[in-house]
């Protein structure tokens, strides 16, 4: 190939010289080309052709090498991923206490999610699960498994994030507007579910399938996102009031006793995009500007205080479909969830020195969710 390029280049050059000689002889003075100059031109042309050929050959070899490495990596990943069975009942160890309390005033945002989750509580949650071999493997079953998920690849699962990633109002916020990393949340996550439904129901705690049928075994605070395509529900164990800090016990009691307007003005949500496309991170922000949910999205409250033989259930429904702003954000984020890790934190706003510093009430994060593969909500007629 190099010699062909060289030969063609020389022929073109000689042809151009002949034309130039003919034109110059006819219309002007004759031209004499020195042999040594012509030799230099030919040598330079040959060298350039040789280098171009070598570069093309190197590019082809690099391309073949990259394809071979990609195929090898794909084959290794394929062998690594196994096909386990699906969960159909509750996870008994979801509500176990997390690891030691963090005392650092600055969140370690550079730590990887693998490191954080592996140090969460040291429990292998798959040991306490029951399985059904007859369930469709293409569906994501509920409750979602804890990280790293049924396949061990960190996909379609949830975990507990470090609460220090959420910035809340500090003890002197009303004077200096300074926010600080939150202390550990007092409400521990019991589980997370994502259901597909043609008409997503409100007051979903009435459904017997919630949390694998174990919802009513503990006092529970739950957040139910009522989405256009289904329900996104998270569950949190409510500890006895005496186990809460005095400041948080005060704001929690006021929240329970307050009317709808009071609750709408106090309940805040912080979302942190820990993994994902830059455009989604730009939309969501850095996790230091919470949203007062009741100011932009309709909220519904279904609170049942504990009675003899029944545990307390405090359900908050966030009706996304009734908010144009929330729908626009959902449409932008929905197509990227398979590439994202999203952390959610909920806060009761402190508006006086006695209610500060704030503290994240409860939190969780979901990893790489494939929403179209979620399990359909079992049909049932709910009491009105």
């Amino acid at each position: 190939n190099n010699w062909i390029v060289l030969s063609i280049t020389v022929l073109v050059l000689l042809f151009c010289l002949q034309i130039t000689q003919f034109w110059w002889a006819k219309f002007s003075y004759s031209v004499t080309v020195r042999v040594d100059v012509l030799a230099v031109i030919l040598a330079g042309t040959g060298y350039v052709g040789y280098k171009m050929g070598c570069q093309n050959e190197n590019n082809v070899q690099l391309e073949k090498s990259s394809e071979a490495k990609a195929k090898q990596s794909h084959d290794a990943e394929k062998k690594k991923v196994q096909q386990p069975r699906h969960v159909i009942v509750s996870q008994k160890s979801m509500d176990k206490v997390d690891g030691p309390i963090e005392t650092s005033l600055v969140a370690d945002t550079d730590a990887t999610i693998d490191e954080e989750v592996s140090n969460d509580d040291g429990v292998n949650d798959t040991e306490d699960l029951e399985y059904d071999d007859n369930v469709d493997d293409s569906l994501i079953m509920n409750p979602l498994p804890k990280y790293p998920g049924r396949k061990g690849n960190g996909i379609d699962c949830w975990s507990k994030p470090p609460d220090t990633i959420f910035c809340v109002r500090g003890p002197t916020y009303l004077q200096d507007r300074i926010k600080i990393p939150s202390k550990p949340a007092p409400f521990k996550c019991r589980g997370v579910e994502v259901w597909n439904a043609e008409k997503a129901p409100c007051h979903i705690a009435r459904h017997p399938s919630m949390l694998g049928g174990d919802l009513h075994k503990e006092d529970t605070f739950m957040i139910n996102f009522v989405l256009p395509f289904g329900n996104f529900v998270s569950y949190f164990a409510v500890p006895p009031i005496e186990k809460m800090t005095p400041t948080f016990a005060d704001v929690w009691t006021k929240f329970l006793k307050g009317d709808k307007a009071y609750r709408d003005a106090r309940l805040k949500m912080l979302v942190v995009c820990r993994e994902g496309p830059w455009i989604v991170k730009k939309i969501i922000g850095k996790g230091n500007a919470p949203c007062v949910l009741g100011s932009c999205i309709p909220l519904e409250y279904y609170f049942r205080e504990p009675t003899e033989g029944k545990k307390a259930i405090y359900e908050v429904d966030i009706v996304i479909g009734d908010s144009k702003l929330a729908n626009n954000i959902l449409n932008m984020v929905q197509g990227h969830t398979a590439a994202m890790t999203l952390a959610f934190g909920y806060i009761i706003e402190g508006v006086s020195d006695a209610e500060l510093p704030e503290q994240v009430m409860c939190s969780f994060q979901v990893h790489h969710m494939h929403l179209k593969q979620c399990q359909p909500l079992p049909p049932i007629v709910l009491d009105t």
Side-chain angles (χ1 to χ4, degrees):
N1 291 337
N2 296 338
W3 287 111
I4 293 175
V5 172
L6 178 58
S7 300
I8 293 174
T9 304
V10 171
L11 289 175
V12 170
L13 182 59
L14 291 175
F15 178 76
C16 291
L17 287 173
Q18 290 295 325
I19 294 297
T20 303
Q21 271 189 324
F22 174 78
W23 182 86
W24 196 269
K26 186 174 182 179
F27 299 102
S28 184
Y29 303 101
S30 61
V31 177
T32 301
V33 179
R34 292 174 52 182
V35 176
D36 56 344
V37 174
L38 182 60
V40 171
I41 293 174
L42 292 176
T45 305
Y47 179 76
V48 171
Y50 174 75
K51 285 294 184 181
M52 290 176 60
C54 290
Q55 185 64 34
N56 289 336
E57 187 175 350
N58 289 337
N59 289 340
V60 171
Q61 290 178 352
L62 287 174
E63 200 170 306
K64 289 182 178 179
S65 177
S66 299
E67 290 178 356
K69 288 181 179 179
K71 186 176 185 302
Q72 184 178 4
S73 176
H74 176 74
D75 293 341
E77 184 67 22
K78 190 174 181 181
K79 291 179 181 178
K80 182 179 176 182
V81 176
Q82 299 178 354
Q83 303 295 330
R85 298 164 293 182
H86 286 295
V87 181
I88 60 170
V89 298
S90 64
Q91 297 173 268
K92 299 177 183 177
S93 59
M94 278 185 176
D95 55 343
K96 293 186 180 179
V97 178
D98 290 340
I101 294 176
E102 297 185 37
T103 57
S104 173
L105 292 179
V106 181
D108 183 12
T109 55
D110 294 330
T112 65
I113 292 175
D114 287 328
E115 291 172 348
E116 291 166 356
V117 175
S118 64
N119 293 327
D120 188 19
D121 53 18
V123 176
N124 181 4
D125 296 283
T126 59
E127 292 178 355
D128 295 327
L129 303 179
E130 297 179 21
Y131 301 93
D132 183 4
D133 293 322
N134 298 318
V135 178
D136 185 357
D137 282 341
S138 65
L139 295 178
I140 302 168
M141 304 304 292
N142 288 306
L144 297 179
K146 286 196 73 174
Y147 187 93
R150 290 187 303 271
K151 298 181 179 181
N153 54 6
I155 294 177
D156 300 323
C157 56
W158 73 276
S159 66
K160 178 70 174 69
D163 293 313
T164 50
I165 68 173
F166 303 107
C167 293
V168 297
R169 295 182 175 187
T172 56
Y173 177 82
L174 299 179
Q175 290 77 43
D176 54 27
R177 319 299 287 182
I178 292 179
K179 293 187 175 183
I180 61 174
S182 175
K183 294 180 180 179
F187 295 3
K188 304 305 177 184
C189 188
R190 295 185 62 193
V192 180
E193 294 178 328
V194 185
W195 298 95
N196 280 334
E198 291 185 5
K199 186 177 181 181
C202 291
H203 197 185
I204 201 169
R206 299 171 295 166
H207 201 293
S209 297
M210 295 301 98
L211 207 58
D214 291 342
L215 172 59
H216 300 277
K217 291 185 177 181
E218 291 187 57
D219 293 341
T220 301
F221 175 75
M222 52 187 292
I223 298 288
N224 173 28
F225 281 91
V226 183
L227 305 170
F229 58 85
N231 296 83
F232 176 35
V233 195
S234 51
Y235 308 87
F236 309 92
V238 180
I241 198 77
E242 57 270 15
K243 291 189 177 181
M244 304 177 188
T245 63
T247 301
F248 181 77
D250 178 53
V251 297
W252 171 245
T253 302
K254 291 178 182 177
F255 183 77
L256 292 182
K257 294 181 178 180
D259 59 12
K260 186 179 187 303
Y262 179 89
R263 295 168 182 167
D264 284 353
R266 293 298 188 97
L267 183 60
K268 301 190 295 186
M269 179 179 70
L270 263 173
V271 182
V272 180
C273 183
R274 310 200 66 198
E275 288 184 88
W278 70 269
I279 184 64
V280 177
K281 292 184 177 181
K282 189 72 175 178
I283 294 170
I284 293 176
K286 298 180 179 180
N288 55 6
C291 168
V292 179
L293 290 171
S295 66
C296 56
I297 307 174
L299 302 181
E300 299 294 338
Y301 303 90
Y302 304 96
F303 286 7
R304 185 188 75 191
E305 293 293 338
T307 58
E308 186 176 352
K310 288 187 178 181
K311 298 294 185 179
I313 300 293
Y314 306 107
E315 177 179 345
V316 180
D317 286 3
I318 304 173
V319 188
I320 298 295
D322 291 345
S323 169
K324 184 177 180 180
L325 173 62
N327 260 315
N328 290 338
I329 295 175
L330 176 64
N331 289 335
M332 287 186 286
V333 173
Q334 185 177 351
H336 301 285
T337 56
M340 295 165 56
T341 292
L342 283 179
F344 296 80
Y346 299 97
I347 305 164
I348 300 175
E349 185 172 73
V351 296
S352 66
D353 288 336
E355 297 176 341
L356 297 176
E358 289 180 338
Q359 182 178 5
V360 169
M361 175 171 53
C362 49
S363 65
F364 71 100
Q365 61 188 3
V366 289
H367 305 267
H368 307 285
M369 292 298 303
H370 296 77
L371 297 179
K372 293 183 180 180
Q373 298 176 13
C374 291
Q375 182 184 12
L377 182 67
I380 190 172
V381 178
L382 300 176
D383 298 331
T384 57

